[in-house]
Amino acid sequence: MSKPRDRRFPDRETIVAFIRAHPGQSGTREIAREFGLKNADRVTLKKILRDLAEDGTIVKRGRKLHQAETLPPTLMADITGRDSDGELLATPTEWDEEAGTPPKIRIHVPRRAKPGTAAGVGDRALLRIEATEPDDSAGYRARVIKVIEHTRSRILGIYRVLPQGGGRLVPVDKKQAGRELNIAKADSADAEDGDLVSVELVRTRGFGLASGKVKERLGSLATEKAVSLIAIHAHDIPQVFAPAALREAEAAKPATLQGRDDWRALPLVTIDPPDAKDHDDAVHAAPDDDPSNKGGAVITVAIADVAYYVRPESALDHDALKRGNSVYFPDRVVPMLPERISNDLCSLVPGQARGALAVRLVIGPDGRKRSHTFHRILMRSAAKLNYAQAQAAIDGNPDDVTGPLLAPILKPLYAAYALVKRARDERDPLDLELPERKILLKQDGTVDRVIVPERLDAHRLIEEFMILANVAAAETLEKKDLPLIYRVHDEPTVEKVHNLREFLRTLDISFAKSGALRPELFNRVLDHVKGHDSESLVNEVVLRSQAQAEYSAENYGHFGLNLRRYAHFTSPIRRYADLIVHRALILALGLGDGALPATETAETLAEVAAQISVTERRAMKAERETSDRLIAHFLADRIGNIFEGRISGVTRAGLFVKLTDTGADGLIPIRTLGTEYFNYDESRHALVGSRSGSMHKLGDVVEVRLVEAVPLAGALRFELLSGGDSGSRDPRQREGRNRKGTRGSQSARHPKIHSKAHPSRKPRKTSRKPGKSKTGKPKKGKS
């Protein structure tokens, strides 16, 4: 930033121009310094900045200001074409459809491109972004930092046999819908009708369908296993490790005591879901024997020492960064690291010596953290427990495993959690109640049922301990002035808060118009509707008002957790961000091998943060689409059945309905609602009849008939039978009800995985916008 040159008080346009020129670097202090503003002037400056924020001209992230609707300086984008001058054009890979049309980015291509930066149409690339002048047709210009994915030469689809021989490929990618390929019999690789296949395009001349050659048979769609393969291939999720990475994994040796503290006598235990295959965190708690902390506790959180095995710039490291995170499907896990590392050497299994990075947290009687220290240790887990097992023991029903652990281990853990919960309640993080469903499969891989696991104190205990460890990691690295990757969550935008306020007004619920935006304001609303019919509806709308959590080298805090600094530390087996934090701690504290290279800067970490934020979204979409396809398969033979549900989304295209007993999602097209025209009322989240004024609004309980199920697309279509204010519907819609089916079959359930509901999506054309679950580790909450 330049030194002050102009002592006159700047006008709004000048202030906005300064913020635009210094994205993410300017706050009140920097602006005042730039224009030489004294204390008296700062009051006026703060008022101007507040006005600019309220009218949506600028947005605040933590203490820093950005021009509204600006892109971050580092971003992942898809190259979509060229302009009239032949320059490459791109759009952000991840874009909130509620924000409107994505901005256009023009890519500057130097005459001599650096290795790995030669991009073309169809590629996905990491870009360095800067805003253009207002009269430029493209809002941004960029340079390529790295090409992440080149244009794919293979297409995934379903093979359909033709009577005359050979077959056709029906692509599974919705963007390629209708673009079938001709497959000659000689090029079919003996694929059978209904097989999921990978096809390589074959250049052909003349007219007619393009041709392809089957390169790989991936399985039959008669099994649900192939359904997860669709998502894996459709989203280009790497599932085969490089040979060099596998060789490194096989050559790895168990950690020894060299350079470590010996904590093998400390009875740490793991508490995970019953089907967990890797165990990357273990916990222990005991009363603090320090007389100055009477009534306090000492909590130990030990995390698998992945950095010991996965060194920077190694083949394992390259594969881990490419994946970004593990991906979880009902039938399989696509791990970030080979099983030799994730399920063996780094898994904190009972009775085996394992390397770990541990944090010792001293908690006061008020539940607040007083101090913490990090240690590189050798540990031995005393037991492997699941959540329900641990909770049952505390509730008076111990089993053979938990019985001996109850007094020495479990009760001290829960006592420490009771302390931590006090501080958590005082912090008052965003407290949304949104149940998550889980698909359970039969042994043959077909859907058995979908359950909503009970939320136990055992879950909350682990979550709060992990949050404490994550905060301690961020604090330590900030004190050492080292760059790191933060887990950040911005506060809601002015526009989204305004929309929420207008919606709550229809329910006679007030929401503050001024003052600092804090999670407690949303919690008051949630408390107000607790136990009422509108509870689930309001929780859903409040969730939609929130921003998306992401990774960033710039810290602007975690709004949902109400924390000023937060970094992911507790799951390095399945998240690359945590591995970076582990390496940084090893460097900061001089803990030995596997440290973050000294050459890593905030700029290079910003690139990594942008890349792994995209892989996280990719995983969430793949998981969600697989669940949608599984349920569509499951319901395909229930066409005509009648179910009870609730309107979960309202768009100009129609109503989205979530079935009450199953959680399955589907669309009621607006054209089927009745004989009159329906207007979309955004503020009330409703469709309103132009003639009768009848209304179908978010949260209404409805009765619907399943009209269509498209397993390949994971799409369901419903017909509205009753519910809401539907008096103006065509009475013919009530005729011909199929009574053969059940009302909301108990076995037809659908998971809600990271769903942020549906108003942002077009009718089955795009995925739901991923949202945020609560805090903690993957599969135990994704803060």
Side-chain angles (χ1 to χ4, degrees), residues 405-434:
L405 305 176
L406 184 58
I409 295 176
L410 291 177
K411 286 187 176 180
L413 280 171
Y414 275 77
Y417 166 64
L419 294 179
V420 170
K421 188 176 181 300
R422 293 181 199 170
R424 187 260 185 204
D425 292 342
E426 287 181 15
R427 194 176 81 244
D428 204 10
L430 190 61
D431 192 17
L432 288 164
E433 289 295 335
L434 294 166

mmCIF file of all heavy atoms in Angstrom, residues 405-434:
data_model
loop_
_atom_site.group_PDB
_atom_site.id
_atom_site.type_symbol
_atom_site.label_atom_id
_atom_site.label_comp_id
_atom_site.label_asym_id
_atom_site.label_seq_id
_atom_site.Cartn_x
_atom_site.Cartn_y
_atom_site.Cartn_z
ATOM 1 N N LEU A 405 -13.516 -49.765 31.645
ATOM 2 C CA LEU A 405 -13.067 -48.413 31.280
ATOM 3 C C LEU A 405 -13.936 -47.315 31.888
ATOM 4 O O LEU A 405 -13.560 -46.142 31.843
ATOM 5 C CB LEU A 405 -13.088 -48.244 29.750
ATOM 6 C CG LEU A 405 -12.315 -49.258 28.905
ATOM 7 C CD1 LEU A 405 -12.534 -48.978 27.421
ATOM 8 C CD2 LEU A 405 -10.831 -49.207 29.242
ATOM 9 N N LEU A 406 -15.074 -47.680 32.434
ATOM 10 C CA LEU A 406 -16.054 -46.681 32.852
ATOM 11 C C LEU A 406 -15.497 -45.704 33.878
ATOM 12 O O LEU A 406 -15.528 -44.483 33.675
ATOM 13 C CB LEU A 406 -17.297 -47.387 33.402
ATOM 14 C CG LEU A 406 -18.473 -46.470 33.797
ATOM 15 C CD1 LEU A 406 -18.924 -45.629 32.622
ATOM 16 C CD2 LEU A 406 -19.635 -47.315 34.333
ATOM 17 N N ALA A 407 -14.979 -46.211 34.977
ATOM 18 C CA ALA A 407 -14.497 -45.318 36.039
ATOM 19 C C ALA A 407 -13.181 -44.623 35.692
ATOM 20 O O ALA A 407 -13.071 -43.394 35.847
ATOM 21 C CB ALA A 407 -14.372 -46.096 37.353
ATOM 22 N N PRO A 408 -12.168 -45.342 35.181
ATOM 23 C CA PRO A 408 -10.872 -44.681 34.973
ATOM 24 C C PRO A 408 -10.806 -43.811 33.712
ATOM 25 O O PRO A 408 -9.992 -42.884 33.656
ATOM 26 C CB PRO A 408 -9.897 -45.853 34.855
ATOM 27 C CG PRO A 408 -10.717 -46.982 34.334
ATOM 28 C CD PRO A 408 -12.078 -46.800 34.921
ATOM 29 N N ILE A 409 -11.634 -44.090 32.697
ATOM 30 C CA ILE A 409 -11.474 -43.389 31.417
ATOM 31 C C ILE A 409 -12.727 -42.634 30.996
ATOM 32 O O ILE A 409 -12.680 -41.418 30.732
ATOM 33 C CB ILE A 409 -11.060 -44.389 30.305
ATOM 34 C CG1 ILE A 409 -9.676 -44.962 30.622
ATOM 35 C CG2 ILE A 409 -11.060 -43.721 28.930
ATOM 36 C CD1 ILE A 409 -9.211 -46.025 29.643
ATOM 37 N N LEU A 410 -13.873 -43.302 30.916
ATOM 38 C CA LEU A 410 -15.068 -42.672 30.349
ATOM 39 C C LEU A 410 -15.644 -41.574 31.241
ATOM 40 O O LEU A 410 -15.999 -40.488 30.759
ATOM 41 C CB LEU A 410 -16.128 -43.734 30.053
ATOM 42 C CG LEU A 410 -15.783 -44.692 28.899
ATOM 43 C CD1 LEU A 410 -16.865 -45.756 28.740
ATOM 44 C CD2 LEU A 410 -15.610 -43.921 27.603
ATOM 45 N N LYS A 411 -15.747 -41.817 32.536
ATOM 46 C CA LYS A 411 -16.312 -40.790 33.419
ATOM 47 C C LYS A 411 -15.466 -39.516 33.446
ATOM 48 O O LYS A 411 -16.011 -38.407 33.389
ATOM 49 C CB LYS A 411 -16.521 -41.360 34.823
ATOM 50 C CG LYS A 411 -17.709 -42.313 34.902
ATOM 51 C CD LYS A 411 -18.004 -42.740 36.336
ATOM 52 C CE LYS A 411 -19.263 -43.606 36.387
ATOM 53 N NZ LYS A 411 -19.581 -44.038 37.782
ATOM 54 N N PRO A 412 -14.125 -39.621 33.505
ATOM 55 C CA PRO A 412 -13.329 -38.387 33.411
ATOM 56 C C PRO A 412 -13.503 -37.661 32.074
ATOM 57 O O PRO A 412 -13.475 -36.428 32.026
ATOM 58 C CB PRO A 412 -11.892 -38.886 33.589
ATOM 59 C CG PRO A 412 -12.027 -40.136 34.385
ATOM 60 C CD PRO A 412 -13.286 -40.779 33.900
ATOM 61 N N LEU A 413 -13.672 -38.414 30.984
ATOM 62 C CA LEU A 413 -13.914 -37.783 29.691
ATOM 63 C C LEU A 413 -15.205 -36.970 29.715
ATOM 64 O O LEU A 413 -15.249 -35.811 29.263
ATOM 65 C CB LEU A 413 -13.987 -38.841 28.581
ATOM 66 C CG LEU A 413 -12.673 -39.397 28.034
ATOM 67 C CD1 LEU A 413 -12.931 -40.579 27.106
ATOM 68 C CD2 LEU A 413 -11.890 -38.315 27.301
ATOM 69 N N TYR A 414 -16.261 -37.561 30.219
ATOM 70 C CA TYR A 414 -17.546 -36.864 30.252
ATOM 71 C C TYR A 414 -17.534 -35.713 31.254
ATOM 72 O O TYR A 414 -18.206 -34.697 31.052
ATOM 73 C CB TYR A 414 -18.678 -37.852 30.570
ATOM 74 C CG TYR A 414 -19.205 -38.563 29.341
ATOM 75 C CD1 TYR A 414 -18.486 -39.610 28.759
ATOM 76 C CD2 TYR A 414 -20.401 -38.186 28.751
ATOM 77 C CE1 TYR A 414 -18.951 -40.265 27.630
ATOM 78 C CE2 TYR A 414 -20.880 -38.829 27.620
ATOM 79 C CZ TYR A 414 -20.161 -39.867 27.052
ATOM 80 O OH TYR A 414 -20.622 -40.498 25.935
ATOM 81 N N ALA A 415 -16.778 -35.853 32.333
ATOM 82 C CA ALA A 415 -16.655 -34.744 33.290
ATOM 83 C C ALA A 415 -15.948 -33.559 32.646
ATOM 84 O O ALA A 415 -16.335 -32.398 32.840
ATOM 85 C CB ALA A 415 -15.902 -35.214 34.536
ATOM 86 N N ALA A 416 -14.904 -33.850 31.864
ATOM 87 C CA ALA A 416 -14.205 -32.779 31.154
ATOM 88 C C ALA A 416 -15.107 -32.142 30.102
ATOM 89 O O ALA A 416 -15.091 -30.924 29.900
ATOM 90 C CB ALA A 416 -12.934 -33.328 30.505
ATOM 91 N N TYR A 417 -15.916 -32.980 29.446
ATOM 92 C CA TYR A 417 -16.859 -32.431 28.453
ATOM 93 C C TYR A 417 -17.879 -31.506 29.114
ATOM 94 O O TYR A 417 -18.251 -30.475 28.542
ATOM 95 C CB TYR A 417 -17.575 -33.577 27.732
ATOM 96 C CG TYR A 417 -18.773 -33.109 26.944
ATOM 97 C CD1 TYR A 417 -18.618 -32.244 25.862
ATOM 98 C CD2 TYR A 417 -20.063 -33.510 27.278
ATOM 99 C CE1 TYR A 417 -19.708 -31.799 25.137
ATOM 100 C CE2 TYR A 417 -21.160 -33.076 26.568
ATOM 101 C CZ TYR A 417 -20.984 -32.211 25.506
ATOM 102 O OH TYR A 417 -22.074 -31.764 24.807
ATOM 103 N N ALA A 418 -18.314 -31.858 30.322
ATOM 104 C CA ALA A 418 -19.274 -30.991 31.027
ATOM 105 C C ALA A 418 -18.673 -29.604 31.254
ATOM 106 O O ALA A 418 -19.375 -28.586 31.164
ATOM 107 C CB ALA A 418 -19.677 -31.633 32.354
ATOM 108 N N LEU A 419 -17.362 -29.539 31.546
ATOM 109 C CA LEU A 419 -16.696 -28.239 31.692
ATOM 110 C C LEU A 419 -16.645 -27.495 30.364
ATOM 111 O O LEU A 419 -17.000 -26.316 30.279
ATOM 112 C CB LEU A 419 -15.272 -28.437 32.219
ATOM 113 C CG LEU A 419 -15.082 -28.989 33.631
ATOM 114 C CD1 LEU A 419 -13.591 -29.113 33.935
ATOM 115 C CD2 LEU A 419 -15.750 -28.087 34.657
ATOM 116 N N VAL A 420 -16.183 -28.206 29.344
ATOM 117 C CA VAL A 420 -16.027 -27.578 28.028
ATOM 118 C C VAL A 420 -17.363 -27.077 27.512
ATOM 119 O O VAL A 420 -17.444 -26.034 26.847
ATOM 120 C CB VAL A 420 -15.397 -28.595 27.043
ATOM 121 C CG1 VAL A 420 -15.434 -28.070 25.613
ATOM 122 C CG2 VAL A 420 -13.972 -28.919 27.458
ATOM 123 N N LYS A 421 -18.429 -27.797 27.807
ATOM 124 C CA LYS A 421 -19.760 -27.405 27.329
ATOM 125 C C LYS A 421 -20.175 -26.056 27.905
ATOM 126 O O LYS A 421 -20.897 -25.286 27.257
ATOM 127 C CB LYS A 421 -20.780 -28.485 27.685
ATOM 128 C CG LYS A 421 -22.160 -28.261 27.072
ATOM 129 C CD LYS A 421 -23.091 -29.406 27.387
ATOM 130 C CE LYS A 421 -24.460 -29.179 26.743
ATOM 131 N NZ LYS A 421 -25.113 -27.949 27.217
ATOM 132 N N ARG A 422 -19.737 -25.754 29.118
ATOM 133 C CA ARG A 422 -20.070 -24.447 29.700
ATOM 134 C C ARG A 422 -19.513 -23.322 28.833
ATOM 135 O O ARG A 422 -20.207 -22.356 28.513
ATOM 136 C CB ARG A 422 -19.482 -24.328 31.112
ATOM 137 C CG ARG A 422 -20.075 -25.253 32.153
ATOM 138 C CD ARG A 422 -19.412 -24.996 33.498
ATOM 139 N NE ARG A 422 -19.600 -26.103 34.424
ATOM 140 C CZ ARG A 422 -18.976 -26.228 35.587
ATOM 141 N NH1 ARG A 422 -18.099 -25.284 35.959
ATOM 142 N NH2 ARG A 422 -19.202 -27.250 36.371
ATOM 143 N N ALA A 423 -18.253 -23.453 28.470
ATOM 144 C CA ALA A 423 -17.623 -22.424 27.640
ATOM 145 C C ALA A 423 -18.252 -22.404 26.251
ATOM 146 O O ALA A 423 -18.419 -21.336 25.651
ATOM 147 C CB ALA A 423 -16.125 -22.677 27.539
ATOM 148 N N ARG A 424 -18.594 -23.559 25.758
ATOM 149 C CA ARG A 424 -19.237 -23.624 24.444
ATOM 150 C C ARG A 424 -20.571 -22.897 24.468
ATOM 151 O O ARG A 424 -20.909 -22.138 23.548
ATOM 152 C CB ARG A 424 -19.420 -25.085 24.058
ATOM 153 C CG ARG A 424 -19.919 -25.315 22.642
ATOM 154 C CD ARG A 424 -21.394 -25.591 22.616
ATOM 155 N NE ARG A 424 -21.857 -25.920 21.274
ATOM 156 C CZ ARG A 424 -23.099 -25.769 20.871
ATOM 157 N NH1 ARG A 424 -24.015 -25.259 21.688
ATOM 158 N NH2 ARG A 424 -23.463 -26.104 19.650
ATOM 159 N N ASP A 425 -21.359 -23.110 25.516
ATOM 160 C CA ASP A 425 -22.656 -22.442 25.616
ATOM 161 C C ASP A 425 -22.490 -20.927 25.745
ATOM 162 O O ASP A 425 -23.310 -20.160 25.223
ATOM 163 C CB ASP A 425 -23.438 -22.989 26.808
ATOM 164 C CG ASP A 425 -23.878 -24.438 26.601
ATOM 165 O OD1 ASP A 425 -23.877 -24.887 25.437
ATOM 166 O OD2 ASP A 425 -24.211 -25.115 27.599
ATOM 167 N N GLU A 426 -21.434 -20.504 26.420
ATOM 168 C CA GLU A 426 -21.176 -19.064 26.530
ATOM 169 C C GLU A 426 -20.752 -18.489 25.185
ATOM 170 O O GLU A 426 -21.121 -17.364 24.832
ATOM 171 C CB GLU A 426 -20.079 -18.799 27.573
ATOM 172 C CG GLU A 426 -20.520 -19.004 29.001
ATOM 173 C CD GLU A 426 -19.403 -18.714 29.992
ATOM 174 O OE1 GLU A 426 -18.395 -18.090 29.577
ATOM 175 O OE2 GLU A 426 -19.529 -19.105 31.159
ATOM 176 N N ARG A 427 -19.983 -19.251 24.434
ATOM 177 C CA ARG A 427 -19.550 -18.800 23.101
ATOM 178 C C ARG A 427 -20.745 -18.712 22.156
ATOM 179 O O ARG A 427 -20.786 -17.874 21.270
ATOM 180 C CB ARG A 427 -18.507 -19.779 22.561
ATOM 181 C CG ARG A 427 -17.752 -19.254 21.359
ATOM 182 C CD ARG A 427 -16.659 -20.208 20.924
ATOM 183 N NE ARG A 427 -17.153 -21.301 20.115
ATOM 184 C CZ ARG A 427 -17.128 -22.578 20.438
ATOM 185 N NH1 ARG A 427 -16.601 -22.947 21.593
ATOM 186 N NH2 ARG A 427 -17.606 -23.510 19.630
ATOM 187 N N ASP A 428 -21.713 -19.573 22.350
ATOM 188 C CA ASP A 428 -22.977 -19.555 21.620
ATOM 189 C C ASP A 428 -22.774 -19.652 20.105
ATOM 190 O O ASP A 428 -23.174 -18.759 19.350
ATOM 191 C CB ASP A 428 -23.761 -18.283 21.960
ATOM 192 C CG ASP A 428 -25.266 -18.459 21.723
ATOM 193 O OD1 ASP A 428 -25.698 -19.599 21.491
ATOM 194 O OD2 ASP A 428 -25.991 -17.446 21.759
ATOM 195 N N PRO A 429 -22.164 -20.740 19.620
ATOM 196 C CA PRO A 429 -22.028 -20.903 18.163
ATOM 197 C C PRO A 429 -23.387 -21.185 17.530
ATOM 198 O O PRO A 429 -24.364 -21.479 18.228
ATOM 199 C CB PRO A 429 -21.098 -22.108 18.039
ATOM 200 C CG PRO A 429 -21.350 -22.898 19.279
ATOM 201 C CD PRO A 429 -21.626 -21.891 20.367
ATOM 202 N N LEU A 430 -23.439 -21.094 16.230
ATOM 203 C CA LEU A 430 -24.687 -21.345 15.506
ATOM 204 C C LEU A 430 -25.166 -22.759 15.805
ATOM 205 O O LEU A 430 -24.419 -23.727 15.659
ATOM 206 C CB LEU A 430 -24.445 -21.168 14.002
ATOM 207 C CG LEU A 430 -25.672 -21.166 13.097
ATOM 208 C CD1 LEU A 430 -26.608 -20.025 13.458
ATOM 209 C CD2 LEU A 430 -25.243 -21.049 11.643
ATOM 210 N N ASP A 431 -26.425 -22.881 16.228
ATOM 211 C CA ASP A 431 -26.931 -24.151 16.731
ATOM 212 C C ASP A 431 -28.104 -24.625 15.890
ATOM 213 O O ASP A 431 -29.258 -24.555 16.303
ATOM 214 C CB ASP A 431 -27.353 -23.987 18.195
ATOM 215 C CG ASP A 431 -27.608 -25.323 18.873
ATOM 216 O OD1 ASP A 431 -27.163 -26.347 18.334
ATOM 217 O OD2 ASP A 431 -28.267 -25.335 19.931
ATOM 218 N N LEU A 432 -27.805 -25.100 14.694
ATOM 219 C CA LEU A 432 -28.840 -25.596 13.793
ATOM 220 C C LEU A 432 -29.159 -27.049 14.095
ATOM 221 O O LEU A 432 -28.265 -27.841 14.390
ATOM 222 C CB LEU A 432 -28.384 -25.469 12.338
ATOM 223 C CG LEU A 432 -28.329 -24.050 11.771
ATOM 224 C CD1 LEU A 432 -27.513 -24.025 10.493
ATOM 225 C CD2 LEU A 432 -29.723 -23.517 11.519
ATOM 226 N N GLU A 433 -30.433 -27.394 14.006
ATOM 227 C CA GLU A 433 -30.864 -28.780 14.206
ATOM 228 C C GLU A 433 -31.336 -29.320 12.866
ATOM 229 O O GLU A 433 -32.479 -29.124 12.455
ATOM 230 C CB GLU A 433 -31.987 -28.843 15.246
ATOM 231 C CG GLU A 433 -31.540 -28.566 16.671
ATOM 232 C CD GLU A 433 -30.580 -29.626 17.208
ATOM 233 O OE1 GLU A 433 -30.627 -30.778 16.708
ATOM 234 O OE2 GLU A 433 -29.788 -29.318 18.104
ATOM 235 N N LEU A 434 -30.449 -29.986 12.149
ATOM 236 C CA LEU A 434 -30.768 -30.541 10.838
ATOM 237 C C LEU A 434 -30.308 -31.997 10.815
ATOM 238 O O LEU A 434 -29.115 -32.267 10.715
ATOM 239 C CB LEU A 434 -30.079 -29.738 9.731
ATOM 240 C CG LEU A 434 -30.578 -28.293 9.581
ATOM 241 C CD1 LEU A 434 -29.622 -27.490 8.725
ATOM 242 C CD2 LEU A 434 -31.970 -28.268 8.978
#
